[in-house]
Amino acid sequence: MNNQRWLSQNFFVFFITWGIFLPYWTGWLVQAEGLSVTEASLIMGFGLLARGASTLFAFPLASKYWSSQTVILVLTVSSLLATILYIPSSSFGTLFVVTIIFSTVYPALLPAVDSTAGALVQQGDVHYGKSRSYGSIGFVISVLIISMVTGYFGEQAILWSMMVGLCLMLLMRFLPTPTVLLVKPTAKDRKESLTMRSLWQVKSFPIVLLIVILLQGAHASYYNYGYIYLQDLGVKKYYIGMIINIGVIFEILYFAKADHLFKKWKPSSLLLLSASGSTLRWLLIFLFPNVWVFMFSQSLHALSFGVAHYAFIRYITKNLSKQQIPNAQGVYSAVALSLSTAVLTLAGGILYEVSSRLAFLGMIVCTVPAMVLIMVTRKQYEY
């Protein structure tokens, strides 16, 4: 199979499940399982901590001994089994434990798929942005379907939809796979991949990582409370999916053209653009608490998330060896997409109980320092 097509298909199928998990999982815990927003926030926050530990240690370790195909297969099967454990769970305690298990295996699929992208991009025959745009399309389709399904069957359908999506991912593992992803790492590869510690020896890596930690963590309130916030504004369930998809549509447009439009941009310039757009996004939601402004702010998702993510992928593919990419992806997913989001999810939950608008305003505590950090360090570290 053509490498570009393989990567596009895998992004597409994975993000169908991500479109179920990211915007709806907290809402499912609240609406279908009867938890309070504070209880659901606590569960999701600790789930993010489990996700961080898994992607920081378990995923890079597995990548040293298993092929990329095997890593994805094991994570997919484990995720499917974990969702089955949700079926008999109803109390806060059991939901907490099962979510920890699920969060340990399922989100690790994100850096696993992204690592395959890094390996294929370094071969020179794959455009990351083009394939990643198919992931965003899968996300859009998923959100639209779930919004309709939940409107008809209720929030309990979210869990069953996740099971169906994971079954699709499992079927993908039996399709032809690029040869480079089937190769089991050798002892030499394991030696060259070094350890997490080696990443800090790359002069600019800690700075770039800190910046993306701040920028991606700033999405905590949006990811976990956007669904509930729109309900509080009186938006019907069917339209919530459409509104969430506005952001992803702009993300699709960005990823589809990023390889060409931003070919000459440095990662630092991309990160500064992302930080500026993110700050504006959360300020708009705070200052103007209505559906129309929220819809407009969704267009900034391409900047707040898409540009930051693309900047990091471009940075590691140009500055790190093939063997170090899984380590970098593990750290990024663990700290930027999990741990920082976990902390800010808990903080956002507290702010949301005071005022839903404050939960979004609080996110600029990350974006403004990120802007300052970029401007202070970009010349010194040349990234």
Side-chain angles (χ1 to χ4, degrees):
M1 180 183 293
N2 176 274
N3 289 352
Q4 187 83 55
R5 188 182 306 116
W6 182 93
L7 185 60
S8 298
Q9 289 177 356
N10 276 264
F11 268 132
F12 179 80
V13 175
F14 169 74
F15 275 93
I16 285 178
T17 66
W18 201 244
I20 300 169
F21 175 72
L22 203 60
Y24 291 110
W25 218 246
T26 302
W28 172 70
L29 289 171
V30 173
Q31 303 294 339
E33 299 301 317
L35 299 182
S36 67
V37 172
T38 301
E39 289 174 329
S41 299
L42 186 65
I43 288 177
M44 294 302 290
F46 276 92
L48 283 166
L49 292 175
R51 168 185 169 182
S54 173
T55 53
L56 185 59
F57 301 109
F59 165 68
L61 181 62
S63 297
K64 289 183 179 181
Y65 293 91
W66 295 340
S67 67
S68 297
Q69 172 78 342
T70 301
V71 171
I72 296 176
L73 175 62
V74 171
L75 290 174
T76 302
V77 172
S78 300
S79 301
L80 184 57
L81 293 175
T83 58
I84 295 174
L85 295 177
Y86 271 116
I87 296 175
S89 305
S90 57
S91 67
F92 173 82
T94 54
L95 288 169
F96 183 92
V97 172
V98 175
T99 300
I100 294 298
I101 296 172
F102 182 69
S103 298
T104 300
V105 290
Y106 169 69
L109 282 165
L110 180 58
V113 176
D114 254 334
S115 289
T116 64
L120 294 174
V121 168
Q122 285 192 332
Q123 284 193 324
D125 58 351
V126 168
H127 293 288
Y128 178 84
K130 182 178 179 180
S131 287
R132 182 58 178 77
S133 67
Y134 281 89
S136 300
I137 291 171
F139 190 96
V140 167
I141 293 173
S142 177
V143 171
L144 284 176
I145 291 175
I146 296 303
S147 65
M148 292 186 286
V149 169
T150 53
Y152 190 80
F153 294 104
E155 272 76 10
Q156 193 59 48
I158 293 172
L159 177 63
W160 300 106
S161 298
M162 174 60 81
M163 292 182 182
V164 172
L166 288 171
C167 286
L168 288 175
M169 282 205 68
L170 186 58
L171 290 175
M172 289 291 294
R173 306 279 59 81
F174 298 99
L175 296 178
T177 303
T179 304
V180 67
L181 305 179
L182 296 173
V183 177
K184 183 179 178 180
T186 63
K188 180 181 178 181
D189 290 331
R190 286 192 288 275
K191 183 178 180 180
E192 289 179 352
S193 67
L194 303 177
T195 62
M196 289 290 181
R197 188 178 304 174
S198 67
L199 290 174
W200 313 118
Q201 296 173 0
V202 180
K203 187 178 178 181
S204 54
F205 182 79
I207 298 297
V208 174
L209 180 64
L210 177 57
I211 292 168
V212 293
I213 285 171
L214 293 171
L215 295 180
Q216 298 296 13
H219 291 84
S221 289
Y222 170 68
Y223 289 154
N224 290 281
Y225 311 115
Y227 179 77
I228 301 171
Y229 178 72
L230 288 170
Q231 286 185 323
D232 291 342
L233 291 179
V235 180
K236 294 181 179 179
K237 294 177 182 177
Y238 175 79
Y239 295 110
I240 290 178
M242 297 177 65
I243 292 173
I244 291 174
N245 269 341
I246 292 173
V248 189
I249 290 171
F250 277 89
E251 179 185 307
I252 292 170
L253 295 174
Y254 168 73
F255 279 126
K257 299 296 182 182
D259 292 317
H260 301 290
L261 292 178
F262 297 96
K263 185 177 182 179
K264 296 183 179 180
W265 282 51
K266 293 182 178 180
S268 59
S269 299
L270 291 169
L271 291 169
L272 186 60
L273 176 62
S274 174
S276 302
S278 186
T279 302
L280 177 60
R281 183 182 187 184
W282 312 131
L283 282 173
L284 285 174
I285 296 176
F286 170 73
L287 294 173
F288 307 98
N290 64 73
V291 177
W292 296 106
V293 173
F294 190 94
M295 291 171 63
F296 173 76
S297 73
Q298 285 291 80
S299 65
L300 296 172
H301 189 70
L303 300 182
S304 65
F305 170 78
V307 174
H309 183 74
Y310 180 79
F312 183 76
I313 297 298
R314 170 181 281 189
Y315 171 81
I316 64 173
T317 54
K318 289 189 175 182
N319 292 276
L320 301 180
S321 66
K322 174 186 174 182
Q323 291 80 11
Q324 282 185 318
I325 286 180
N327 287 339
Q329 285 287 359
V331 173
Y332 172 63
S333 183
V335 186
L337 301 180
S338 302
L339 297 180
S340 65
T341 309
V343 173
L344 290 165
T345 293
L346 296 174
I350 296 172
L351 290 173
Y352 198 95
E353 294 287 356
V354 177
S355 170
S356 57
R357 295 161 60 192
L358 283 178
F360 295 95
L361 178 65
M363 297 301 102
I364 68 171
V365 74
C366 293
T367 61
V368 173
M371 293 172 65
V372 174
L373 186 59
I374 295 165
M375 290 186 286
V376 170
T377 63
R378 62 190 304 183
K379 289 185 178 180
Q380 179 181 354
Y381 291 94
E382 299 180 347
Y383 59 91

